[in-house]
Amino acid sequence: MSVVDVKLEKFEGPLDLLLHLIDKNKFNIFDIPIVAITEQYMEYLDKLTREGVDKLSDFLVMAATLISIKAKMLLPEPVEEDSDEEDPRAELVRALLEYKMYKYASLELRDMELDAEKTLYKGETIPEEIKSFKEEIDPADVIGDTTIVLLNEIFMQIMKRENDKIDPVRSKFGNITKEEIKVEDKMVEIRNSLKGLKSINFRTLLEKERGKLNIIVSFLAVLELIKSGAISVRQDELFGDIVLDSLE
């Protein structure tokens, strides 16, 4: 049985050559016909010897391994039916599967590298006026030691009270039309309240609102006023009430 002439540099090692012969002949890698594969391998090894290829020793070691496996396969099978002796080809199959896995992985990495070479990155084109932009008022300076977490805790407490007020039976009667409330309108309302008082308790501000929607909109309005620098937030003592102060 002869092998088709191929470029010798195509194979990176004996395992690469064996995989080529298995694929070319459509052999089952888990049931390799060791006699046929050894004959084809030896024919190719003869070509390598005449050409004088580097790393020929690796191919010679594999040739010896194949001949050894072939010899074991030609020996008569043991009479004992319960023999646990491993198939002489098992170690070779494991090596071929492992090599095949790494070979395919290297091909995937090569394709990824080729794709990466085609990638172009756009340079930075942000205008200087935008890069140097800075908010006139830092929300952290306005809020001070009071955090959004504390504001949110009060907000959730008020919302829980509103939920507790809901009648589980009557609340399902009929269709209730939602009242349209705008954050901008609520901001004006809070500003007007602060004009006369200069400061107001955050909890009191939310508690006087009726319904969930009013509470939510009021909370959002407070955050917007803090962000715009119209009001500041303070807490005079640990766990004390949060107070909103007008900055206008």
Side-chain angles (χ1 to χ4, degrees):
M1 187 179 295
S2 61
V3 100
V4 177
D5 289 339
V6 292
K7 293 183 180 180
L8 299 181
E9 61 270 15
K10 176 179 179 180
F11 305 112
E12 298 179 358
L15 290 174
D16 200 26
L17 171 57
L18 282 176
L19 282 178
H20 167 73
L21 295 176
I22 290 171
D23 292 340
K24 182 174 73 74
N25 292 280
K26 295 183 173 53
F27 290 149
N28 182 354
I29 195 171
F30 295 100
D31 188 20
I32 302 173
I34 201 68
V35 175
I37 207 76
T38 301
E39 289 179 0
Q40 293 188 36
Y41 185 90
M42 295 304 293
E43 287 184 19
Y44 191 86
L45 184 60
D46 181 59
K47 295 178 183 291
L48 290 178
T49 305
R50 285 187 271 110
E51 292 287 340
V53 178
D54 294 336
K55 297 183 180 179
L56 183 60
S57 58
D58 293 338
F59 288 88
L60 292 174
V61 170
M62 179 57 71
T65 302
L66 290 173
I67 293 172
S68 174
I69 296 173
K70 178 181 177 181
K72 291 179 181 179
M73 296 287 292
L74 293 175
L75 291 174
E77 296 182 2
V79 180
E80 299 83 358
E81 294 182 358
D82 298 333
S83 175
D84 295 330
E85 185 176 353
E86 188 178 37
D87 190 318
R89 301 168 296 179
E91 187 175 349
L92 177 63
V93 170
R94 284 193 291 267
L96 285 169
L97 290 174
E98 184 176 357
Y99 177 80
K100 191 173 185 179
M101 178 184 67
Y102 284 113
K103 181 178 180 180
Y104 286 168
S106 67
L107 293 176
E108 287 292 329
L109 291 174
R110 185 193 64 185
D111 291 341
M112 292 171 64
E113 181 182 7
L114 293 175
D115 290 339
E117 291 176 354
K118 302 174 185 177
T119 304
L120 299 176
Y121 295 93
K122 181 177 177 294
E124 184 179 286
T125 56
I126 302 175
E128 286 297 327
E129 56 270 21
I130 295 179
K131 290 173 63 177
S132 59
F133 173 77
K134 184 178 180 182
E135 292 188 21
E136 295 181 1
I137 299 177
D138 187 351
D141 296 337
V142 179
I143 294 178
D145 294 333
T146 306
T147 65
I148 296 299
V149 175
L150 294 175
L151 296 175
N152 184 59
E153 287 179 0
I154 296 176
F155 171 72
M156 296 306 295
Q157 291 173 9
I158 301 298
M159 289 298 294
K160 185 177 184 303
R161 291 182 187 176
E162 287 298 314
N163 286 331
D164 294 340
K165 293 178 184 178
I166 296 175
D167 187 324
V169 178
R170 294 184 180 181
S171 63
K172 298 181 181 179
F173 291 169
N175 296 321
I176 301 176
T177 303
K178 291 184 178 180
E179 180 182 359
E180 184 176 352
I181 307 171
K182 295 183 179 179
V183 175
E184 293 80 6
D185 295 339
K186 188 60 68 174
M187 290 171 66
V188 173
E189 184 180 325
I190 295 173
R191 276 178 163 172
N192 292 334
S193 299
L194 283 169
K195 281 182 180 177
L197 301 175
K198 286 296 181 184
S199 63
I200 188 171
N201 187 291
F202 179 61
R203 187 186 298 274
T204 303
L205 175 69
L206 294 184
E207 284 180 340
K208 74 175 185 178
E209 298 292 347
R210 293 179 176 272
K212 289 184 181 180
L213 186 58
N214 275 288
I215 294 173
I216 294 172
V217 175
S218 296
F219 181 72
L220 294 175
V222 167
L223 296 180
E224 287 295 327
L225 289 170
I226 292 173
K227 182 180 179 181
S228 64
I231 65 175
S232 64
V233 184
R234 60 183 168 86
Q235 189 177 32
D236 295 331
E237 58 183 15
L238 188 63
F239 304 117
D241 289 338
I242 293 177
V243 179
L244 309 179
D245 293 323
S246 174
L247 296 178
E248 298 177 328

